[in-house]
C-alpha cells in the first residue's frame, strides 16, 4: 500500500456572493483564498478574517445565510511516483460535508451526499504521472437542498431546526437544536489522500472474543480487496501485550488464545490494559507484506442485562459479568465549526469526565460519529460509550436510494469503531420511537412503517453482520421496540423531563425508579466571562434580544427565573443571577442522581443531559463551550463518587412551598444512605449533626456502616418534629479508616427562607492550594478567579464554620472572590 496525503496547497472560493453573503462577510471574497484541509468554509473564512465571528451577538443569522451559496475547494499537486507502480489508485475522503462534486483534472470523478460516510473513487486512469494534477471539490448549498427537498417530500423533525433537515445526511444539529445555532457549515472535514493498492489491501478486520477460564480466544475475520481479483494472500497476526511483549502468529490463524488475560474495566472498577492487534497482509507468492491493520483492543465482555424482575425488566450494563451502575452524561459536538475540534480539546473534556468519576457517556444521535481519537481516549480512561446512530428527532422517508445511502453509512461507521473496548452498545436513534408512536412529525402511514423497517429490521441486521457481539437497542428511550410503551419507567431506558419541561419541582424525581435514565436535565447560564464572549455590556440582561438568541429552548430564560423564584431570593446583580442559576441546575440534578443511586438494583443508570456545549450559550451543559466548569460538574464529581453518602430528607421541599397554606404540618426527618459502586466491601463511619445557622452543634450521632460491594446501605430514619426549619440544618459526613471521604448538608426549608448568617468568607493561598475559612454556616461556597477559568479539586461546597482546603488543578489564583447562598439577594 502506498499513501499520498492531500492536505497541502488548498484554496477555496465562494461561488455566488449575493446580498446574503454581505450579512456576515468582513470583505468580499472575489477569488480563491488559502484553505485548510481538513477544514471547512466557516473555518477558512475566519482564519483569514474574511468573516465575522458567527458566535458574536446575532451574527449567526448572516453565517446561516452565507450557506445559500456554493463553494469550491481546489488544490494542485504532483503525486509520488510509487503510486503508479500499484495496480489501482484510489482517491479517498474520510469525510465530505456534505453535497459535493469531485473533479480530477477536469473530469467528474464522483459525487458525495452524506457527511457520515467514507467516499472512495477509482482514479487509476485519471491521475497524471510527473505532471501537475488539479483536484476540485464543489460543495452545494445545504440550505437550498433541504428547502427544495422538503417541497417534494414532507419529512418533519425538531421545530428548532430548519425545515427539511431530515432529507440530508448531515449532522442534524448544524441546522439548529434547542441548545445550538443554525450553522450548516461545508467542507472537506476529515482527511483526504491517494491510496495505491499494490496487489491487495485490508478493507477491515473483525475481532471477536470468547472468554473462558483464565483465557480469551480471539477470532479474526479479515476482509481483503485484491487487484486483480485472483491474487493469493495470507496474513499473520502480531499481538502486543500491555507490558510491551509481542508474539507473532503466522499461517492466517483463525483463533489466537491469550492466557492469563488482563481484563479491561471501566473507570472505578479496575484498570484499562490495552493490547495491540496487528494483522499483516502477505503476498502468498512472494512473502512480501502488502498492507497492515493495527488497532488497540481491550479484553472484556460487554452487554446489557435484561431480565424480568419484581419491578418489570432490568436494563443494566454488564462488564466482565459485573453489573455496572452507569454514571455519566450525554455528549454533543464540541463546536459548531467541526474543524476546530481536535484530540487535545476532546481529551481535556473526557479527562474532566474521568476526574468526575464518570464510567459512561452517551453520544447523542443528532451530531456526528466521533473521530477515532474520541474512542481511543475513552479506551484509555475507561469510559463506556453508548453510541447512537445519527438519527434524531426526525422522520425519514425510506426510499431505495436512502436505504442504500444509510446502509453504507452504518457499515462505514460500525467497521471503523467496533474494535474499541469502550464501545458498549449501538442505539438506533434518539427519541424517535416515542415521537413516532404519538404521530409527532409523521406525515403518512408509510413513514410510521418505515420507522420499523429502519430501526428494527435494517439496523439490527447490519449490527449482527458487522459487529455480532455488540448489543443493539432500537431507540432511546425504548422498552425494546415495536412502540411498546417506549418511555416505560419500569423497562428499558427512559428520558424524564417533567422536571424542567414540565415545571415539576425537584422532589418529583423521587416518585420514579427508572431502570436506566439516559436523559434528565436542567438549564443554567454559563460563567459571566463566557457570556461576555458573545455580548456587549448592554446585552447582559437575560431577557435581551442577544441573550435570548443564545437561548435556543423557547422561553427557557423565563423558566429558569420561575424555578429561581421557588428556591432563591431574587438576585439583584447579573453575575449573582448567573451563580444562582448554576446552583439551581446543580441542586436539581443532584436531587435526581442521588435518589437513583440510593436505589441501585432497581435503577442502574443516571446519565444526565448534557455534558458540553457546541457554542457559548445558556444550556443544560455542566461544562461550557470554553471548558469552564459549572457548579453541576463539581456536584457530579460528588454524586458520582464511588463511595457516596446522601440524604433522603422530608421537609418543605418535599411537601408544600406555599407559606400561606392552611395546614403547615409536614414531616421533618432524614435518612442517610451510603452507596458503594466498587467491587470491594467498605467499612465506613457515618457522622451527623443538627446545627443552627452559626454552625453550632445542637445534636449529633454516628454509626459504623459496612457497605457490601455494588450496593447501598440505608441508615435508620430519624424524625425531628421540633426542628426549626429556618435556623437549623443537618450536616453529615462519611469516613473510612478515619479519613474524611465526603461531607454535605441539608436544610429542611428552601434556601430563600433559611436565615443564613454572614459567613464572612475569607481565603489564603499556599502554592497550589486554597484554604477557605467560614465563621458560620455557608452553603454552596464558590471560589472563582478573575478569568473564571479556575478548576479545583472541589468547589460549590457546603461549609460548617471552620476551614476547607482545595487543590488548584488548573488556572491561576489571581483576583479570587468567594460567595455563598447568603450573597443571593
Amino acid at each position: 500500500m502506498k499513501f499520498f496525503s492531500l492536505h497541502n496547497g488548498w484554496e477555496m472560493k465562494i461561488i455566488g456572493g449575493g446580498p446574503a453573503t454581505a450579512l456576515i462577510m468582513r470583505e468580499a471574497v472575489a477569488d480563491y483564498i488559502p484553505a485548510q484541509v481538513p477544514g471547512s468554509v466557516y473555518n477558512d473564512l475566519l482564519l483569514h478574517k474574511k468573516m465575522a465571528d458567527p458566535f458574536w451577538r446575532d451574527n449567526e443569522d448572516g453565517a446561516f445565510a452565507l450557506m445559500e451559496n456554493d463553494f469550491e475547494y481546489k488544490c494542485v499537486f504532483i503525486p509520488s511516483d510509487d503510486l503508479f507502480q500499484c495496480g489501482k489508485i484510489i482517491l479517498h475522503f474520510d469525510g465530505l460535508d456534505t453535497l459535493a462534486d469531485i473533479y480530477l483534472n477536469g473530469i467528474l470523478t464522483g459525487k458525495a451526499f452524506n457527511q457520515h460516510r467514507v467516499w472512495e473513487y477509482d482514479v487509476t486512469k485519471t491521475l497524471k504521472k510527473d505532471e501537475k494534477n488539479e483536484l476540485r471539490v464543489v460543495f452545494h448549498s445545504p440550505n437550498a437542498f433541504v428547502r427544495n427537498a422538503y417541497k417534494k417530500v414532507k419529512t418533519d423533525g425538531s421545530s428548532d431546526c430548519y425545515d427539511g433537515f431530515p432529507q440530508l445526511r448531515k449532522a442534524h444539529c448544524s441546522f439548529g437544536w434547542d441548545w445550538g445555532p443554525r450553522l450548516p457549515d461545508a467542507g472537506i472535514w476529515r482527511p483526504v489522500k491517494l491510496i495505491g493498492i499494490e496487489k491487495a489491501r485490508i478493507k477491515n478486520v473483525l475481532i471477536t472474543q470468547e472468554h473462558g477460564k483464565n483465557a480469551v480466544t480471539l477470532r479474526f475475520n479479515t476482509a481483503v480487496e485484491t487487484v486483480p481479483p485472483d491474487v493469493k494472500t495470507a496474513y499473520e497476526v502480531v499481538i502486543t501485550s500491555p507490558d510491551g511483549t509481542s508474539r507473532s502468529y503466522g499461517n492466517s490463524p483463525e483463533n489466537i488464545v491469550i492466557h492469563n488475560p488482563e481484563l479491561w474495566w471501566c473507570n472505578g472498577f479496575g484498570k484499562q490494559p490495552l493490547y495491540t492487534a496487528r494483522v499483516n497482509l502477505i503476498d502468498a507468492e512472494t512473502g512480501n507484506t502488502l498492507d497492515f491493520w493495527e488497532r488497540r483492543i481491550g479484553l472484556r465482555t460487554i452487554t446489557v442485562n435484561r431480565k424480568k424482575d419484581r419491578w418489570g425488566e432490568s436494563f443494566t450494563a454488564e462488564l466482565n459479568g459485573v453489573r455496572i451502575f452507569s454514571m455519566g452524561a450525554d455528549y454533543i459536538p464540541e463546536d459548531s465549526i467541526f474543524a476546530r475540534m481536535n484530540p487535545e480539546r476532546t481529551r481535556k473534556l473526557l479527562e474532566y469526565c474521568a476526574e468526575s468519576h464518570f464510567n459512561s457517556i452517551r453520544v447523542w444521535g443528532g451530531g456526528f460519529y466521533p473521530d477515532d481519537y474520541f474512542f481511543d481516549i475513552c479506551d484509555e480512561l475507561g469510559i463506556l460509550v453508548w453510541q447512537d446512530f445519527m438519527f434524531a428527532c426526525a422522520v425519514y422517508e425510506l426510499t431505495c436510494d436512502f436505504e442504500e445511502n444509510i446502509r453504507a453509512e452504518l457499515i462505514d461507521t460500525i467497521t471503523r469503531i467496533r474494535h474499541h473496548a469502550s464501545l458498549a452498545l449501538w442505539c438506533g436513534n434518539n427519541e424517535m420511537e416515542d415521537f413516532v408512536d404519538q404521530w409527532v412529525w409523521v406525515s403518512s402511514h408509510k413513514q410510521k412503517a418505515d420507522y420499523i423497517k429502519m430501526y428494527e429490521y435494517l439496523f439490527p441486521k447490519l449490527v449482527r453482520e458487522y459487529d455480532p457481539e455488540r448489543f443493539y437497542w432500537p431507540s432511546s428511550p425504548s422498552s425494546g421496540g415495536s412502540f411498546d410503551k417506549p418511555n416505560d419507567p419500569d423497562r428499558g431506558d427512559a428520558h424524564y423531563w417533567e422536571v424542567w419541561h414540565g415545571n415539576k419541582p425537584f422532589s418529583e424525581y423521587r416518585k420514579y425508579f427508572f431502570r436506566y435514565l439516559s436523559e434528565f436535565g436542567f438549564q443554567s447560564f454559563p460563567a459571566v466571562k463566557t457570556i461576555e464572549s458573545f455580548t456587549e455590556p448592554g446585552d447582559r440582561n437575560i431577557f435581551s434580544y442577544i441573550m435570548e438568541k443564545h437561548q435556543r429552548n423557547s422561553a427557557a430564560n423565563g423558566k429558569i427565573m420561575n424555578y429561581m423564584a421557588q428556591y432563591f431570593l431574587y438576585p439583584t446583580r447579573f453575575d449573582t443571577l448567573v451563580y444562582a442559576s448554576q446552583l439551581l441546575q446543580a441542586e436539581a440534578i443532584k436531587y435526581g442522581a442521588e435518589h437513583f443511586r440510593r436505589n441501585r438494583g432497581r435503577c442502574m443508570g443516571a446519565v444526565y443531559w448534557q455534558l458540553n456545549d457546541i457554542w457559548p450559550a445558556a444550556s443544560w451543559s455542566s461544562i461550557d463551550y470554553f471548558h469552564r466548569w459549572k457548579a453541576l460538574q463539581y456536584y457530579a464529581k460528588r454524586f458520582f463518587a464511588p463511595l457516596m453518602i446522601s440524604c433522603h430528607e422530608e421537609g418543605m421541599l418535599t411537601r408544600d412551598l406555599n407559606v400561606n397554606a392552611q395546614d403547615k404540618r409536614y414531616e421533618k426527618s432524614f435518612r442517610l444512605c451510603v452507596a458503594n459502586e466498587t467491587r470491594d466491601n467498605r467499612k465506613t463511619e457515618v457522622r451527623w449533626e443538627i446545627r443552627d445557622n452559626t454552625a453550632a452543634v445542637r445534636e449529633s450521632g454516628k454509626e459504623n456502616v459496612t457497605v457490601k460491594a455494588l450496593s447501598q446501605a440505608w441508615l435508620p430514619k430519624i424524625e425531628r418534629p421540633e426542628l426549626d426549619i429556618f435556623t437549623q440544618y443537618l450536616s453529615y459526613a462519611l469516613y473510612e479508616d478515619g479519613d474524611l471521604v465526603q461531607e454535605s448538608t441539608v436544610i429542611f426549608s428552601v434556601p430563600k427562607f433559611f436565615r443564613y448568617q454572614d459567613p464572612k468568607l475569607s481565603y489564603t493561598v499556599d502554592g497550589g492550594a486554597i484554604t477557605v475559612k467560614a465563621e458560620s454556616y455557608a452553603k454552596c461556597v464558590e471560589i472563582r478567579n478573575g478569568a473564571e477559568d479556575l478548576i479545583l479539586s472541589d468547589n460549590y461546597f457546603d461549609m460548617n464554620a471552620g476551614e476547607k482546603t482545595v487543590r488548584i488543578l488548573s488556572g491561576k489564583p489571581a483576583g479570587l472572590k468567594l460567595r455563598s447562598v447568603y450573597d443571593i439577594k
Side-chain angles (χ1 to χ4, degrees):
M1 292 280 286
K2 306 297 181 183
F3 300 95
F4 185 81
S5 174
L6 291 171
H7 291 171
N8 298 319
W10 285 91
E11 300 175 302
M12 67 85 68
K13 70 175 181 180
I14 301 173
I15 305 175
T21 305
L23 293 173
I24 191 70
M25 301 301 292
R26 293 188 183 276
E27 59 182 90
V29 180
D31 206 345
Y32 290 99
I33 62 170
Q36 185 181 85
V37 171
S40 74
V41 168
Y42 287 153
N43 192 59
D44 289 326
L45 294 174
L46 287 167
L47 286 174
H48 295 283
K49 303 186 186 305
K50 303 292 186 182
M51 172 182 173
D53 179 3
F55 293 171
W56 174 252
R57 304 192 81 232
D58 58 352
N59 282 350
E60 169 206 349
D61 295 342
F64 180 77
L66 177 65
M67 302 313 294
E68 294 291 337
N69 296 289
D70 293 350
F71 305 88
E72 180 179 287
Y73 278 75
K74 180 181 74 172
C75 79
V76 177
F77 63 95
I78 300 176
S80 57
D81 289 345
D82 57 1
L83 285 172
F84 296 92
Q85 300 170 12
C86 300
K88 185 177 183 180
I89 304 173
I90 291 170
L91 176 58
H92 174 103
F93 293 91
D94 280 322
L96 290 166
D97 181 13
T98 294
L99 298 161
D101 299 335
I102 298 90
Y103 297 87
L104 181 60
N105 297 323
I107 298 172
L108 179 63
T109 302
K111 294 177 178 288
F113 39 84
N114 188 326
Q115 181 182 8
H116 308 300
R117 284 178 59 179
V118 172
W119 295 95
E120 290 192 336
Y121 309 97
D122 187 345
V123 295
T124 309
K125 297 180 180 179
T126 314
L127 196 67
K128 299 176 182 178
K129 184 180 180 181
D130 298 328
E131 293 184 49
K132 290 182 178 180
N133 288 256
E134 182 186 74
L135 176 60
R136 289 192 302 122
V137 182
V138 177
F139 291 96
H140 299 288
S141 167
N143 299 10
F145 178 88
V146 298
R147 185 169 55 247
N148 293 331
Y150 187 69
K151 293 175 182 177
K152 297 175 183 176
V153 179
K154 185 179 180 182
T155 54
D156 282 321
S158 171
S159 60
D160 297 293
C161 293
Y162 193 64
D163 285 349
F165 76 91
Q167 302 270 15
L168 186 60
R169 294 305 299 149
K170 176 179 173 64
H172 286 348
C173 64
S174 66
F175 288 104
W177 216 261
D178 59 2
W179 37 255
R182 293 177 177 176
L183 293 172
D185 206 352
I188 306 170
W189 76 293
R190 279 180 167 160
V192 53
K193 58 181 174 284
L194 291 167
I195 299 174
I197 304 175
E198 296 175 85
K199 288 186 178 179
R201 67 165 170 170
I202 298 173
K203 293 283 286 184
N204 58 73
V205 177
L206 171 64
I207 305 174
T208 58
Q209 304 180 19
E210 181 180 333
H211 287 243
K213 187 175 181 180
N214 298 321
V216 174
T217 301
L218 302 179
R219 294 188 170 87
F220 288 77
N221 186 336
T222 304
V224 176
E225 175 188 359
T226 58
V227 180
D230 58 352
V231 171
K232 304 298 182 183
T233 62
Y235 66 87
E236 67 171 355
V237 176
V238 180
I239 301 294
T240 302
S241 299
D243 64 5
T245 59
S246 297
R247 183 175 176 183
S248 298
Y249 303 83
N251 300 318
S252 302
E254 293 184 1
N255 302 329
I256 292 174
V257 179
I258 309 295
H259 296 284
N260 301 312
E262 298 179 53
L263 296 184
W264 184 93
W265 290 95
C266 64
N267 188 30
F269 280 72
K271 296 181 179 180
Q272 293 77 44
L274 295 170
Y275 291 73
T276 299
R278 179 183 173 112
V279 177
N280 294 319
L281 184 64
I282 309 298
D283 185 331
E285 294 182 0
T286 65
N288 295 332
T289 299
L290 300 173
D291 192 10
F292 74 92
W293 178 97
E294 184 173 277
R295 303 289 189 276
R296 293 188 303 173
I297 64 171
L299 305 183
R300 86 287 179 272
T301 61
I302 179 71
T303 189
V304 172
N305 182 291
R306 296 176 64 206
K307 290 184 179 178
K308 301 290 185 183
D309 58 25
R310 59 194 172 109
W311 300 296
E313 183 180 82
S314 65
F315 191 91
T316 308
E318 189 172 290
L319 178 65
N320 299 325
V322 176
R323 297 181 185 182
I324 307 294
F325 187 102
S326 297
M327 303 184 293
D330 296 280
Y331 170 87
I332 65 171
E334 296 169 50
D335 205 307
S336 292
I337 301 173
F338 292 175
R340 298 199 292 216
M341 293 183 284
N342 57 61
E344 294 74 27
R345 187 173 171 182
T346 299
R347 179 174 289 278
K348 179 184 285 189
L349 182 66
L350 292 174
E351 285 178 347
Y352 289 157
C353 294
E355 172 73 17
S356 302
H357 309 296
F358 286 31
N359 59 31
S360 302
I361 196 168
R362 173 175 170 246
V363 178
W364 169 77
F368 69 97
Y369 303 102
D371 288 273
D372 294 312
Y373 61 72
F374 174 92
F375 294 95
D376 288 336
I377 297 166
C378 288
D379 291 346
E380 295 167 11
L381 298 177
I383 299 175
L384 294 169
V385 179
W386 171 310
Q387 178 65 59
D388 282 1
F389 288 116
M390 291 300 117
F391 301 81
C393 297
V395 172
Y396 307 90
E397 191 81 11
L398 187 62
T399 64
C400 292
D401 287 344
F402 188 73
E403 178 179 347
E404 182 182 356
N405 189 13
I406 61 175
R407 188 177 190 279
E409 172 188 324
L410 263 67
I411 293 171
D412 285 348
T413 302
I414 294 169
T415 55
R416 175 172 68 89
I417 295 172
R418 65 189 176 190
H419 67 277
H420 285 283
S422 57
L423 181 61
L425 65 86
W426 297 104
C427 179
N429 67 78
N430 174 74
E431 297 187 337
M432 284 316 304
E433 183 182 356
D434 198 18
F435 283 128
V436 172
D437 183 42
Q438 301 173 57
W439 285 86
V440 176
W441 303 318
V442 179
S443 302
S444 67
H445 288 280
K446 177 185 180 301
Q447 287 181 349
K448 188 165 187 176
D450 286 347
Y451 175 91
I452 295 291
K453 294 174 185 176
M454 287 173 60
Y455 306 113
E456 299 188 22
Y457 176 72
L458 177 61
F459 287 19
K461 182 179 180 180
L462 290 171
V463 171
R464 284 193 300 271
E465 181 177 356
Y466 291 96
D467 196 8
E469 294 184 333
R470 202 83 57 183
F471 181 85
Y472 174 79
W473 193 237
S475 183
S476 180
S478 180
S479 61
S482 302
F483 306 121
D484 180 15
K485 297 180 181 178
N487 207 17
D488 191 335
D490 297 319
R491 296 177 295 158
D493 77 309
H495 294 187
Y496 182 73
W497 285 102
E498 286 304 299
V499 177
W500 182 256
H501 288 307
N503 297 309
K504 299 288 188 180
F506 302 167
S507 56
E508 197 76 5
Y509 284 123
R510 291 186 182 171
K511 295 180 180 179
Y512 298 92
F513 304 85
F514 303 101
R515 310 316 303 267
Y516 189 114
L517 192 56
S518 49
E519 276 192 27
F520 65 115
F522 198 97
Q523 276 206 8
S524 71
F525 298 107
V528 172
K529 285 295 183 185
T530 296
I531 293 172
E532 289 175 357
S533 76
F534 63 83
T535 60
E536 294 177 344
D539 300 327
R540 290 165 202 156
N541 180 301
I542 65 168
F543 298 117
S544 73
Y545 179 74
I546 297 304
M547 287 296 291
E548 294 206 343
K549 282 291 285 185
H550 286 251
Q551 167 56 274
R552 307 315 281 244
N553 183 214
S554 179
N557 289 354
K559 190 183 292 288
I560 291 173
M561 294 308 295
N562 177 54
Y563 273 104
M564 194 171 295
Q566 299 173 47
Y567 291 91
F568 292 121
L569 295 176
Y570 186 82
T572 55
R573 290 169 51 92
F574 182 72
D575 70 315
T576 307
L577 187 153
V578 168
Y579 165 66
S581 80
Q582 292 195 16
L583 298 188
L584 271 176
Q585 178 192 38
E587 289 287 336
I589 303 306
K590 172 188 174 183
Y591 217 88
E594 289 187 346
H595 164 69
F596 301 131
R597 285 200 64 189
R598 288 195 293 267
N599 289 277
R600 189 195 199 280
R602 185 173 183 179
C603 179
M604 289 300 291
V607 178
Y608 65 80
W609 184 271
Q610 65 202 67
L611 172 64
N612 60 303
D613 277 327
I614 199 170
W615 75 324
S619 79
W620 294 272
S621 72
S622 57
I623 297 175
D624 78 16
Y625 174 78
F626 295 108
H627 284 180
R628 292 184 171 104
W629 285 32
K630 295 182 182 179
L632 174 55
Q633 192 64 35
Y634 288 100
Y635 272 51
K637 187 176 179 180
R638 296 194 287 265
F639 61 62
F640 285 157
L643 199 58
M644 181 204 72
I645 185 170
S646 65
C647 180
H648 181 114
E649 92 295 343
E650 294 291 345
M652 180 180 285
L653 187 61
T654 59
R655 288 298 181 263
D656 190 353
L657 297 181
N658 181 7
V659 297
N660 298 308
Q662 179 175 334
D663 185 0
K664 295 184 181 180
R665 293 173 298 174
Y666 44 80
E667 182 180 314
K668 289 176 276 188
S669 67
F670 62 91
R671 192 177 183 195
L672 298 171
C673 179
V674 182
N676 177 14
E677 195 61 23
T678 75
R679 293 189 289 151
D680 300 312
N681 298 336
R682 308 293 284 267
K683 294 182 178 180
T684 68
E685 181 184 63
V686 173
R687 304 175 192 175
W688 60 266
E689 299 87 27
I690 293 176
R691 300 172 182 260
D692 65 23
N693 54 6
T694 70
V697 176
R698 300 303 180 188
E699 182 184 357
S700 64
K702 63 181 180 179
E703 185 170 340
N704 292 324
V705 180
T706 297
V707 194
K708 292 183 179 180
L710 306 174
S711 70
Q712 63 279 341
W714 286 87
L715 279 69
K717 178 180 178 180
I718 297 176
E719 296 190 44
R720 289 295 180 266
E722 72 286 355
L723 184 143
D724 183 348
I725 65 171
F726 302 116
T727 64
Q728 294 180 322
Y729 69 98
L730 173 73
S731 65
Y732 53 93
L734 180 67
Y735 289 82
E736 186 176 35
D737 298 326
D739 296 325
L740 177 65
V741 177
Q742 265 195 345
E743 60 181 341
S744 191
T745 72
V746 161
I747 61 175
F748 296 87
S749 65
V750 289
K752 67 178 180 178
F753 295 147
F754 193 83
R755 296 169 191 154
Y756 296 99
Q757 299 294 303
D758 184 354
K760 297 179 181 177
L761 296 171
S762 60
Y763 69 88
T764 57
V765 179
D766 184 7
I770 301 172
T771 298
V772 179
K773 182 178 179 180
E775 295 187 10
S776 61
Y777 176 44
K779 189 162 186 64
C780 304
V781 175
E782 178 200 59
I783 308 170
R784 56 181 170 144
N785 63 353
E788 293 193 292
D789 62 354
L790 201 60
I791 297 178
L792 304 170
S793 59
D794 198 8
N795 206 350
Y796 301 93
F797 47 78
D798 297 349
M799 288 185 69
N800 303 309
E803 295 183 349
K804 181 180 175 72
T805 299
V806 297
R807 291 176 291 106
I808 300 171
L809 303 182
S810 66
K812 296 180 180 179
L816 290 182
K817 294 181 181 180
L818 307 177
R819 60 182 162 187
S820 69
V821 173
Y822 171 80
D823 298 296
I824 301 177
K825 52 190 174 182

